[in-house]
Amino acid sequence: MSCTSLVFRRPIPDDWERVMAVLPSWWDGRDLRALLPRVFFEHFRGTSLLVEHEDALVAFFVGFFCGDHQDEACVHFVGVAPEWRRVGLASDLYRRFFALARTNGRSVVRAVTAPVDTGSVAFHTALGFSLLPGDAEVDGVPVTLDQAAPQGRHLVRFQLFLEPEVLS
Ligand SMILES: CC(C)(COP(=O)(O)OP(=O)(O)OC[C@H]1O[C@@H](n2cnc3c(N)ncnc32)[C@H](O)[C@@H]1OP(=O)(O)O)[C@@H](O)C(=O)NCCC(=O)NCCS
């Protein structure tokens, strides 16, 4: 991905409102804002990124390094503005996170998505992530039930081992 007019930067806490403002429309009207509280923009800035084009928000990435498992890095949320999709922006954000994770001694990256986000399932698979087993299946995809929240917030879980070639 090369577009010189794009600015990649670490988020600040005040960016949270901007992300909240776009999140439902970027997720096709689904309101997932409760899954991304402001605390992520206060305590995981160093492992998160925002992308702007002429001051407009075009993508964001929220990740963190797992505290209990020193070899793991986790992707919590990623979103790309609909008009900026399929140009490699999310792949770029993930690769930057992979590089940072390796520098930090992490060898495994985990990510999640909702089963209804079939584009996200395809994206993670295209990037080389494996699907982790769940306790049910939705359209042939393994899901972990009630993982994001009780009563039906199921998640598809992914895992990728950071081999050296992933970083190239
Ligand atoms: C999923 C999402 C982050 C992908 O972002 P993106 O910048 O468009 O992804 P990329 O351009 O890096 O895609 C890389 C590859 O992934 C695959 N891919 C990405 N989106 C896809 C889709 N909707 N359907 C099928 N394959 C897809 C393709 O193989 C693509 O390569 P190609 O364009 O050369 O065919 C974006 O569609 C999005 O923000 N969706 C809504 C929010 C969401 O579901 N977030 C993820 C869960 S938190």
Side-chain angles (χ1 to χ4, degrees):
M1 164 96 213
S2 67
C3 178
T4 50
S5 60
L6 290 177
V7 175
F8 290 71
R9 66 169 174 84
R10 298 288 171 211
I12 60 171
D14 283 352
D15 288 317
W16 177 71
E17 279 92 355
R18 297 175 70 200
V19 170
M20 291 298 102
V22 299
L23 202 140
S25 65
W26 289 13
W27 264 259
D28 288 329
R30 285 159 53 234
D31 190 354
L32 305 182
R33 288 178 294 179
L35 300 179
L36 187 58
R38 186 183 170 102
V39 68
F40 281 95
F41 289 73
E42 293 169 346
H43 295 293
F44 299 104
R45 295 165 57 192
T47 47
S48 300
L49 276 170
L50 220 68
V51 189
E52 293 169 317
H53 176 71
E54 294 172 355
D55 293 332
L57 181 65
V58 299
F60 69 91
F61 178 102
V62 176
F64 58 91
F65 295 153
C66 184
D68 286 341
H69 304 280
Q70 292 297 308
D71 59 333
E72 290 184 14
C74 294
V75 183
H76 181 58
F77 248 81
V78 59
V80 176
E83 63 274 23
W84 282 89
R85 289 181 190 166
R86 302 304 288 266
V87 295
L89 207 38
S91 302
D92 189 331
L93 287 165
Y94 272 69
R95 291 205 173 93
R96 289 168 189 248
F97 185 63
F98 294 164
L100 188 64
R102 272 199 72 87
T103 303
N104 202 265
R106 311 282 161 159
S107 56
V108 185
V109 179
R110 291 179 179 268
V112 292
T113 203
V116 70
D117 289 325
T118 52
S120 173
V121 174
F123 163 74
H124 284 91
T125 306
L127 212 60
F129 279 85
S130 313
L131 289 157
L132 287 174
D135 39 29
E137 275 197 8
V138 173
D139 296 332
V141 175
V143 299
T144 304
L145 300 174
D146 300 328
Q147 182 80 358
Q151 300 175 337
R153 281 273 166 90
H154 313 322
L155 285 180
V156 182
R157 299 184 303 129
F158 305 94
Q159 174 177 276
L160 179 142
F161 289 99
L162 288 176
E163 300 299 335
E165 62 266 26
V166 174
L167 299 174
S168 61

